[in-house]
Amino acid sequence: MTIDRRNALRLTSLAAAGAGITGGLGGAARAEGRRPTSGRANKITLTGKRTAADLPDVLVPGTPYFVHYELRDADGNPVGTESAECTPVTVGPDGALVLASLVLVLGDGMITASTAFQRPLPALTEVLVAPRRWSHVFAVTGGTGTYDAAAGSVTIEHLSREDDVLTLDLD
């Protein structure tokens, strides 16, 4: 499925609007996502299933791509969405250095994060049968609702082309 920038913005807008509609589905995220007290870190683990992307077969420096995942809690309940806009800065035979902005829309608020990471090459060069696992860490830049003024990190482990695991480590 190919999504251009206008459709990506529409999906992001729909996801944000849908957060209010699906607020009841965010119960698990709400329960696990409460603000920590006395400086202890708050750890939340979610799984994602990619539902949209415009990831090209060949990454080109300066040409952004978009990915979107539906998020679930440990019990398999839907809790929100993960959307990222990524821009390759350099591309070489071993992968690409990518700048990325991330938005997690959960039933009780949003979390924003950003990073620069080394990404393995996608699509034509990926092994579809046994994909290489890889991960990267985002710095949390803020949030809304329960996550107002959030800080910490989001680690995303890509298990396959379609599945990932997010670990939110909030301060």
Side-chain angles (χ1 to χ4, degrees):
M1 171 182 220
T2 301
I3 296 178
D4 65 19
R5 289 180 141 210
R6 282 188 302 264
N7 285 336
L9 289 172
R10 281 187 205 120
L11 278 175
T12 304
S13 297
L14 287 172
I21 295 168
T22 62
L25 297 175
R30 187 174 4 269
E32 290 181 341
R34 58 187 175 275
R35 300 284 309 267
T37 56
S38 67
R40 292 189 326 243
N42 189 18
K43 206 170 245 192
I44 303 168
T45 301
L46 303 171
T47 58
K49 176 67 90 180
R50 188 163 74 184
T51 57
D54 69 349
L55 184 62
D57 290 338
V58 177
L59 295 179
V60 176
T63 302
Y65 61 91
F66 175 83
V67 293
H68 178 81
Y69 292 76
E70 297 296 325
L71 296 174
R72 296 185 176 271
D73 65 13
D75 295 325
N77 299 311
V79 295
T81 61
E82 164 194 354
S83 300
E85 183 168 1
C86 308
T87 304
V89 177
T90 61
V91 178
D94 294 328
L97 176 64
V98 176
L99 298 176
S101 296
L102 176 71
V103 177
L104 303 178
V105 178
L106 303 171
D108 54 351
M110 286 192 257
I111 296 173
T112 58
S114 63
T115 192
F117 63 93
Q118 188 67 27
R119 189 209 192 287
L121 293 178
L124 294 176
T125 57
E126 283 182 346
V127 178
L128 299 177
V129 181
R132 184 166 102 191
R133 286 182 161 195
W134 60 283
S135 65
H136 49 102
V137 179
F138 285 79
V140 172
T141 57
T144 64
T146 299
Y147 311 99
D148 186 37
S153 64
V154 177
T155 302
I156 299 179
E157 182 180 4
H158 296 276
L159 307 178
S160 70
R161 291 172 54 106
E162 306 298 324
D163 301 298
D164 66 8
V165 174
L166 285 75
T167 304
L168 288 71
D169 219 343
L170 303 176
D171 297 334

